[in-house]
């Protein structure tokens, strides 16, 4: 069975390391905060100016002056800090944030990512994504393996305008966990429970290394 | 020198057609609501606006888009505004989309007297096209230039009559960097106090960057994505 969004987030949360500062993008990545494993403590950075972001507020306690990068109302953890936009991107560009999780429309087998523009159709802008992917040491992409038409989103080369070059390290989709190798394309690491390797191969357009038995994800 | 103005109407004296403005805020959080209303009231046109976002259809900078007062936007994310997308795709509106960190740093550089800087963000993408590339520490970077504006409009929580400002929560965002980069920086605050009332240790924008200040009125502080969790 393909994973749902919550499960994708849950699998990504297994990658968290105690003490890390982590930036979560909009969409599935935001859900990762709900699955931080026990015994692990991380601080979430929101690029509009929060370190130590907490959960959404309970109804009645929303504060218009306290939002995350997705413009959602949020709360602060004890020990949180607030800062301006240039300080925020000093943290990001200066590689003080250890992990970035973001969504994508396409990922190429050399690690290029496209997630900000569909020419002539959707032009929302890149927000902080270009700064994040250009500087982050660890980038995990959270996305579905194929788009709504059923076409692979893991490609030989991106067809959409790219957000960053050769930057994605790991991808967690509804079907698989993959890593991006230095020069040989994607490598299959794990498959979703009940999903066979053939389906992943069929739905991956870019080069894909499959070596030995591929374990199922564990939850 | 008196920096205090009674209202937005007087504080915005001198704004004209064809000018370049910076406007603080992230989404609808920390936007200079009073200044935007006054710009709309004055009906000045052909404006270039530097702002991370473009508001929503009926609030924030979206108001100036509806009244076709903006010729060009310099922003990083404009996803919540249908009218913006329509004007951009039809070519009515010139748009320069730049990475959010580069936008913040370009404003910071503009205020700090640094004409340009190299950043890795945008290398190899449309953003990097035509820009000088240099390699530092084995990694390609692109040259980005500083931004300044004829007027910068910022919103703070508290300010004193010397122009010292304190922001609240994530309403800080772009306001402090933009405050430094305006030839004339107009700060609107929720509460204007006398010098000595604010602790100097907690001033976030020193008054030297602020030429005009006024106490704003009727803040709506609209929430774009009201999101809550169930009560435990």
């Amino acid at each position: 069975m393909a994973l749902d969004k919550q499960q994708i987030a849950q699998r990504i949360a297994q990658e968290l390391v105690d003490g890390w500062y982590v930036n979560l993008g909009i969409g599935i990545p935001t859900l990762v905060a709900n699955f931080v494993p026990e015994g692990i403590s991380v601080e979430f950075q929101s690029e509009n100016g929060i370190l130590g972001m907490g959960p959404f507020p309970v109804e009645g306690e929303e504060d218009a002056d306290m939002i995350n990068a997705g413009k959602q109302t949020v709360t602060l953890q004890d020990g949180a800090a607030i800062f301006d936009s240039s300080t925020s991107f000093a943290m990001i560009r200066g590689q003080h944030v250890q992990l970035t999780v973001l969504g994508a429309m396409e990922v190429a087998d050399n690690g290029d990512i496209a997630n900000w523009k569909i020419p002539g159709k959707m032009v929302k802008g890149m927000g902080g994504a270009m700064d994040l992917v250009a500087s982050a040491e660890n980038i995990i992409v959270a996305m579905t393996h194929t788009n709504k038409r059923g076409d692979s989103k893991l490609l030989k080369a991106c067809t959409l305008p790219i957000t960053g070059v050769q930057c994605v390290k790991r991808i967690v989709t509804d079907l698989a966990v993959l890593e991006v190798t230095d020069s040989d394309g994607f490598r299959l690491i794990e498959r979703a429970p009940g999903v066979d390797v053939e389906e992943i191969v069929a739905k991956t357009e870019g080069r894909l290394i499959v070596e030995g038995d591929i374990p199922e994800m564990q939850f | 020198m008196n920096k205090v103005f009674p209202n937005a109407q007087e504080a915005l004296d001198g704004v004209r057609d064809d000018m370049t403005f910076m406007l603080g805020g992230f989404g609808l959080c920390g936007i200079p609501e009073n200044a935007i209303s006054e710009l709309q009231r004055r009906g000045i046109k052909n404006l270039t606006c530097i702002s991370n976002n473009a508001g929503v259809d009926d609030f924030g900078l979206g108001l100036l888009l509806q009244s076709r007062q903006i010729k060009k936007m310099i922003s990083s994310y404009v996803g919540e505004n249908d009218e913006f997308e329509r004007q951009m795709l039809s070519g009515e509106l010139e748009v320069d989309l730049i990475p959010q960190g580069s936008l913040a740093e370009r404003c910071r550089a503009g205020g700090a007297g640094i004409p340009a800087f190299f950043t890795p963000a945008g290398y190899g993408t449309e953003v990097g096209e035509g820009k000088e590339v240099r390699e530092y520490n084995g990694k390609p970077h692109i040259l980005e230039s500083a931004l300044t504006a004829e007027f910068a409009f910022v919103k703070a929580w508290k300010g004193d009559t010397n122009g010292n400002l304190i922001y609240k929560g994530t309403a800080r965002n772009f306001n402090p960097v933009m405050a430094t980069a305006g030839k004339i920086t107009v700060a609107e605050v929720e509460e204007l106090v006398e010098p000595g009332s604010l602790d100097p240790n907690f001033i976030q924008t020193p008054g030297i960057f602020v030429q005009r200040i006024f106490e704003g009125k009727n803040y709506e502080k609209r929430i774009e994505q009201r999101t809550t969790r169930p009560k435990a």
Side-chain angles (χ1 to χ4, degrees), chain A residues 26 47-50 55-76 82-86 89 93 95 116-136 161-165, chain B residues 26-30 52-53 75-80 84-85 88-89 97-102 104-105 108 117-127 139 155 168-174 176-177 190 221-232:
Chain A
I26 297 166
E47 66 266 25
N48 60 315
I50 306 176
F56 298 127
V58 294
E59 210 179 309
E61 289 179 14
E62 308 95 313
D63 178 358
D65 291 328
M66 193 55 66
I67 63 167
N68 65 14
K71 285 105 182 176
Q72 296 170 302
T73 42
V74 290
T75 59
L76 300 181
I82 297 283
F83 35 84
D84 68 74
S85 301
S86 74
F89 283 90
R93 209 184 299 102
Q95 299 191 323
W116 75 282
K117 183 178 185 182
I118 302 173
K121 231 170 134 187
M122 187 282 287
V123 193
K124 292 183 184 305
M126 66 293 281
M130 282 192 184
D131 310 271
L132 282 158
V133 301
S135 294
I162 62 170
T163 311
V165 292
Chain B
F26 182 94
L28 301 179
C29 181
N52 188 56
N53 310 90
S75 302
S76 89
Y77 189 83
V78 294
E80 321 303 333
F84 183 104
E85 208 158 341
M88 175 167 162
L89 292 172
L97 285 171
I98 52 183
Q100 194 177 134
S102 298
E105 194 63 14
R108 198 194 73 82
F117 58 92
F118 282 95
T119 176
Y123 169 76
T125 75
E126 285 179 11
V127 168
K139 206 171 151 176
K155 154 82 197 325
K168 182 163 165 277
T170 55
R172 192 182 319 182
N173 57 62
F174 280 84
V177 281
E190 289 177 49
K221 292 199 183 184
R222 197 185 290 186
I223 293 175
E224 229 170 306
Q225 306 282 343
R226 188 178 296 275
T227 311
T228 57
R229 69 187 144 104
K231 280 187 179 144

Side-chain angles (χ1 to χ4, degrees), chain A residues 135-174:
Chain A
S135 294
E137 286 175 283
N138 281 309
I139 298 174
I140 301 179
V141 167
M143 66 176 189
T144 53
H145 214 94
T146 56
N147 62 22
K148 282 178 189 148
R149 291 190 308 272
D151 303 327
S152 181
K153 290 166 74 171
L154 294 124
L155 307 175
K156 288 191 181 74
C158 291
T159 62
L160 296 169
I162 62 170
T163 311
V165 292
Q166 297 177 28
C167 52
V168 175
K169 298 287 189 293
R170 223 163 223 260
I171 305 147
V172 178
T173 74
D174 51 339

Side-chain angles (χ1 to χ4, degrees), chain A residues 107-109 152 154-157 185-186 201 203-208:
Chain A
V107 176
D109 68 17
S152 181
L154 294 124
L155 307 175
K156 288 191 181 74
F186 302 114
V201 170
K203 290 181 174 172
T204 305
E205 194 244 318
R207 293 170 297 160
L208 177 64

Side-chain angles (χ1 to χ4, degrees), chain B residues 1-46:
Chain B
M1 182 185 127
N2 178 34
K3 296 181 177 183
V4 179
F5 288 71
N7 50 40
Q9 206 170 328
E10 294 189 33
L12 268 68
D13 187 42
V15 297
R16 290 191 312 272
D17 290 352
D18 308 306
M19 277 188 163
T20 296
F21 300 147
M22 281 184 187
L23 299 104
F26 182 94
L28 301 179
C29 181
I31 58 173
E33 293 184 20
N34 282 232
I36 291 170
S37 298
E38 175 60 16
L39 289 171
Q40 189 185 31
R41 194 193 64 81
R42 288 180 180 237
I44 52 173
K45 291 207 177 335
N46 284 322

